[in-house]
Amino acid sequence: MNAARALAAAAALLAGAALAASGEKIGTVDTAFQWIGRDHDIIVEAYDDPGVSGVTCYVSRARVGGIKGTLGLAEDRAEASIACRQVGPLSFPGPLRKQEEVFSERMSILFKRLRIVRMVDPTRNVLVYLTYSEKLIDGSPQNSVTAVPVDRATPIPLK
């Protein structure tokens, strides 16, 4: 019985972690009609930084529709755009690493993931966010960067 409870608790923790790792859907724009299945579209999702209260990152990316896209078998494009903004008072629950992956989301059934990495620029007191896909295109991954300046009166705590 204890093993069953431990297994149920582990499954609940994994489900919670998976939910936290996925973005909140803000909206979509259809880009191409498909007769069967979902249309090709661009999705915009919001990700709240778990290490910095008051920062949200907005990521847009293309999704393939049709039968394969609807079933989750399509290979989405390895392109994304990111804009992170201060959406409330900034606070740091704990010290931050100089560079840390804060979000990761699977974009295809095989290997490819969308990643968001937070970097701290202590000289300028700025949080820098980079998004990229693991899939290599002509030798280098597609990427996008954004920055959130932090008031100098609030130093960013580093580990």
Side-chain angles (χ1 to χ4, degrees), residues 6-20:
L7 186 60
L13 281 174
L14 286 174
L19 188 61

Side-chain angles (χ1 to χ4, degrees), residues 19-153:
L19 188 61
S22 65
E24 174 189 343
K25 181 179 169 184
I26 301 300
T28 60
V29 175
D30 288 347
T31 58
F33 175 76
Q34 297 294 298
W35 285 102
I36 300 175
R38 181 183 81 223
D39 291 344
H40 297 314
D41 62 11
I42 297 172
I43 184 168
V44 177
E45 296 171 309
Y47 297 83
D48 293 326
D49 187 332
V52 183
S53 297
V55 172
T56 299
C57 293
Y58 296 91
V59 176
S60 68
R61 60 186 174 86
R63 291 189 309 176
V64 175
I67 294 171
K68 286 184 178 181
T70 302
L71 296 175
L73 302 174
E75 182 79 10
D76 287 338
R77 302 281 312 241
E79 301 167 348
S81 179
I82 187 169
C84 297
R85 299 293 184 262
Q86 181 178 344
V87 295
L90 289 182
S91 65
F92 304 92
L96 302 178
R97 292 186 184 144
K98 179 104 165 114
Q99 180 172 317
E100 177 179 15
E101 182 175 288
V102 290
F103 309 109
S104 177
E105 186 173 326
R106 184 171 302 284
M107 290 176 60
S108 75
I109 205 161
L110 296 173
F111 308 116
K112 187 168 63 170
R113 299 185 76 80
L114 174 71
R115 298 185 182 278
I116 301 174
V117 175
R118 179 196 335 103
M119 300 172 201
V120 177
D121 178 354
T123 304
R124 294 164 192 82
N125 214 41
V126 171
L127 301 169
V128 179
Y129 294 86
L130 168 74
T131 185
Y132 68 97
S133 169
E134 290 176 336
K135 182 175 180 176
L136 296 181
I137 299 174
D138 294 332
S140 63
Q142 296 286 328
N143 61 82
S144 181
V145 68
T146 187
V148 178
V150 178
D151 188 348
R152 291 212 181 263

